[in-house]
Amino acid sequence: MNTIRFYKPTDPYGEFSNFSDHPIKIDGKTWATTEHYFQAQKFKGTQHEEEIRLLTSPMEAKIAGQDRSKPLRKDWEQIKDDVMRAAIKAKFTQYNELKQLLKSTHPSYLVEHTHNDSYWADGGNGKGRNMLGQILMEVRQQFEFI
């Protein structure tokens, strides 16, 4: 099976990155990137959620979301995959060109390729969980039936 690796928004298939410049609308608000939405949900219902939503770049949102001086919601570990799933589904539903790009990758295996993350990505050595790639493939499969 063919494998498509992605990471930087400027690389081929960079649209699959949470840093890609594709604002999404969820919960009645516009989020500059899926990264903004994902990081802010760690603090849903607090002032930090809106602070992260308004940050200028996805890197700023990521840094703010990883700041452990802020009180992380207690259920985060249980719901983080579903939060990512909601963000990805919104992004690829709200941009038809992205939906078509994602569908065009079938049946390739999608991998976020970086040594920086072994949960959402492959850990750089293929041993990571690649949850972002897994969720993208789940959403792609749902689109196959639409």
Side-chain angles (χ1 to χ4, degrees):
M1 179 183 300
N2 186 41
T3 298
I4 294 174
R5 290 177 180 82
F6 65 92
Y7 182 61
K8 294 180 183 174
T10 54
D11 289 346
Y13 298 99
E15 296 90 342
F16 297 168
S17 166
N18 285 325
F19 279 38
S20 76
D21 187 19
H22 293 91
I24 59 170
K25 290 185 176 80
I26 298 184
D27 301 333
K29 295 180 181 179
T30 299
W31 305 84
T33 65
T34 52
E35 187 72 20
H36 283 78
Y37 176 76
F38 178 79
Q39 296 297 339
Q41 296 316 294
K42 294 176 177 180
F43 313 102
K44 187 172 178 77
T46 72
Q47 69 188 39
H48 306 299
E49 178 184 15
E50 187 67 4
E51 288 168 2
I52 292 173
R53 188 179 76 82
L54 297 173
L55 290 171
T56 307
S57 75
M59 182 55 79
E60 288 176 324
K62 181 176 183 171
I63 291 166
Q66 293 176 337
D67 178 358
R68 289 299 160 258
S69 70
K70 298 179 181 100
L72 188 66
R73 62 191 282 178
K74 291 180 179 17
D75 63 350
W76 182 246
E77 287 303 313
Q78 291 75 43
I79 64 150
K80 67 182 180 182
D81 291 358
D82 289 335
V83 170
M84 183 66 77
R85 202 170 275 112
I88 296 302
K89 194 161 190 175
K91 178 178 173 179
F92 287 88
T93 302
Q94 294 171 22
Y95 293 90
N96 191 52
E97 68 276 15
L98 295 184
K99 180 194 275 188
Q100 296 310 316
L101 177 64
L102 183 59
K103 285 173 74 171
S104 77
T105 65
H106 184 269
S108 297
Y109 190 73
L110 304 179
V111 177
E112 184 180 30
H113 180 62
T114 177
H115 67 277
N116 296 334
D117 191 325
S118 60
Y119 185 80
W120 296 108
D122 68 352
N125 60 7
K127 295 182 180 177
R129 294 204 46 200
N130 186 39
M131 285 305 296
L132 179 55
Q134 298 290 337
I135 289 170
L136 283 162
M137 290 183 287
E138 278 178 33
V139 171
R140 178 182 69 192
Q141 184 176 8
Q142 291 170 4
F143 288 155
E144 293 298 313
F145 301 104
I146 295 175

